[in-house]
Amino acid sequence: MTAQQNERTKTRLVRDDTVEVIAGRDSGKRGRVLDIDRKKGRILVEHAMVVKKHVRPNPQRQVKGGIAESEAFFDISNVMIVCPQCGPVRIGMLVGEDGSKTRICRKCEQPLEKKKRTAK
Ligand SMILES: [Zn+2]
């Protein structure tokens, strides 16, 4: 899939979705979407694509030297949303009579939205 079809990558994923990595080094791992870079078509997923950074100690900034781990952005096409019943699935769209759109699982056709959004 090319990311540059439009100026923005078409994705129906949103932050806090649970996704499974379907390609690459972390294939099979599941995590929460932490961030999406729609311009670049890249995604940040909790516990996926963890990279080690070698950090040099910096006493002025209270930074200890050593190896720090953090997630890295990778291509959106490498993840699929996880349906609670079916596992990783493609996202379908259900358009209501009033034009409202609901994201649904393509397999079981159940809505993928969480019923309650926890307010922060
Ligand atoms: Zn399903």
Side-chain angles (χ1 to χ4, degrees):
M1 249 188 255
T2 54
Q4 260 74 46
Q5 299 161 302
N6 301 320
E7 71 268 3
R8 302 194 129 220
T9 308
K10 258 199 203 168
T11 179
R12 287 159 176 165
L13 291 168
V14 294
R15 214 175 272 197
D16 283 342
D17 280 344
T18 302
V19 294
E20 183 167 320
V21 183
I22 51 154
R25 200 187 70 188
D26 282 334
S27 188
K29 273 193 189 171
R30 287 186 188 188
R32 199 164 48 91
V33 176
L34 298 176
D35 204 0
I36 297 173
D37 187 339
R38 286 170 202 276
K39 276 192 189 152
K40 291 186 186 152
R42 297 173 84 75
I43 195 165
L44 194 67
V45 179
E46 197 178 37
H47 306 314
M49 279 302 285
V50 174
V51 290
K52 289 190 170 107
K53 281 182 185 167
H54 293 262
V55 185
R56 215 171 270 195
N58 185 341
Q60 269 133 7
R61 281 204 240 146
Q62 304 262 320
V63 179
K64 273 188 199 169
I67 300 166
E69 294 194 338
S70 69
E71 287 93 354
F73 277 91
F74 59 99
D75 205 89
I76 279 181
S77 61
N78 288 356
V79 299
M80 281 179 107
I81 196 161
V82 175
C83 166
Q85 277 89 37
C86 318
V89 291
R90 292 170 70 182
I91 300 172
M93 276 292 182
L94 191 72
V95 183
E97 280 176 22
D98 58 350
S100 66
K101 285 179 186 165
T102 311
R103 297 186 307 161
I104 57 164
C105 163
R106 282 261 188 103
K107 272 190 195 162
C108 67
E109 303 193 339
Q110 292 300 304
L112 289 166
E113 312 303 334
K114 288 149 206 149
K115 297 272 152 59
K116 284 170 214 153
R117 288 233 136 201
T118 43
K120 273 176 195 170

